[in-house]
Amino acid sequence: MTEGLREQKKRRTRRHIHDVALGLFVERGFDHVTIAEVAAAAEVSVNTLYNYFQAKEDLVLDPQRTAERRLADIVLRRDPGESAARAVLDRLRDMVRRHDRELGLTEGFGRVYEMMRAAPTLTARLDDLGRQMTAALAAVLAEETGTGPDDPLPRVVAAQIGLAHSLVFTEIGRLTAAGESPGTIATAVLRLLDVVEDLLGEPVLTYAVRKDR
């Protein structure tokens, strides 16, 4: 019980620091706020802040929430008879319909998005995360299909799936910046996913279908 309470307190503290930092970054710009200022506003020491977040960019793109294995894990958990691409597309559709916070489909995300796009280190982090996610997915596909290291097919399929994932976030960002509501954005992204699925075609949509266990 004591350990459980301690962990709850850590989660609350971590969330509090994140929320305070995000508010400051949106108000003043990411590059114009220091770690010391975030710590002071959150009423914690700088050392305490670094215990929770190792880098300033982590205060916006928390590694615990932006895992590079997101796509790989979706594919690993897919149902028998489901392909890798369809598993990711179905998961994205579900997240869009639920207005999942991870997609930014919430009121007020527009200012957060603008702040992120204005900070070169954050955009670089996002680009790097996308590459890591695609590489992790390619490794899973290669292992599941028994593909040799020189075969490009798992990498090509992973790149196509990764592009679809990236397009969703790009479309959400574009429409958010245009001032559209979360509901309108969700409808547009669902249409986008239908277009993506049509263009991917059977070679990708039927690749790495999970066999019955």
Side-chain angles (χ1 to χ4, degrees):
M1 180 64 70
T2 302
E3 182 66 25
L5 292 174
R6 185 179 298 117
E7 291 305 314
Q8 290 177 24
K9 182 178 180 181
K10 287 181 178 180
R11 283 194 296 273
R12 287 195 299 269
T13 300
R14 183 184 188 88
R15 183 67 187 181
H16 173 65
I17 295 171
H18 166 80
D19 290 346
V20 169
L22 202 59
L24 290 174
F25 295 151
V26 168
E27 179 183 356
R28 294 165 49 192
F30 181 78
D31 293 329
H32 300 292
V33 179
T34 67
I35 287 290
E37 288 172 326
V38 173
E43 299 183 328
V44 298
S45 69
V46 171
N47 286 340
T48 296
L49 188 150
Y50 276 121
N51 285 337
Y52 288 95
F53 300 94
Q54 296 182 7
K56 184 180 176 182
E57 289 74 20
D58 294 345
L59 289 161
V60 179
L61 299 170
D62 188 345
Q64 292 188 2
R65 301 175 59 191
T66 55
E68 67 272 8
R69 290 193 56 80
R70 179 185 297 166
L71 295 178
D73 288 341
I74 292 173
V75 169
L76 286 170
R77 291 193 296 264
R78 72 194 186 281
D79 294 329
E82 191 173 30
S83 71
R86 289 196 185 280
V88 173
L89 291 173
D90 288 348
R91 173 62 175 161
L92 287 172
R93 286 190 175 100
D94 177 64
M95 293 175 72
V96 171
R97 292 187 181 108
R98 290 188 289 104
H99 290 197
D100 196 295
R101 290 181 62 87
E102 288 189 19
L103 297 181
L105 287 173
T106 56
E107 296 292 344
F109 179 70
R111 295 185 67 197
V112 176
Y113 177 78
E114 290 174 2
M115 175 272 294
M116 293 172 62
R117 298 308 301 180
T121 56
L122 290 178
T123 56
R125 171 77 72 91
L126 285 170
D127 291 343
D128 188 54
L129 176 63
R131 287 189 291 269
Q132 292 176 19
M133 292 172 68
T134 300
L137 175 58
V140 167
L141 294 177
E143 181 177 357
E144 287 199 356
T145 58
T147 305
D150 296 329
D151 193 324
L153 187 54
R155 298 195 301 276
V156 172
V157 173
Q160 294 298 308
I161 296 173
L163 177 59
H165 181 265
S166 177
L167 282 172
V168 166
F169 283 88
T170 300
E171 185 73 350
I172 290 172
R174 182 182 72 83
L175 294 174
T176 295
E180 299 291 353
S181 68
T184 299
I185 295 171
T187 299
V189 173
L190 289 173
R191 288 199 302 268
L192 172 69
L193 286 169
D194 288 342
V195 173
V196 167
E197 184 166 351
D198 288 342
L199 289 177
L200 285 178
E202 289 304 302
V204 174
L205 294 174
T206 60
Y207 182 77
V209 174
R210 167 153 285 175
K211 296 182 173 61
D212 292 339
R213 297 175 183 174

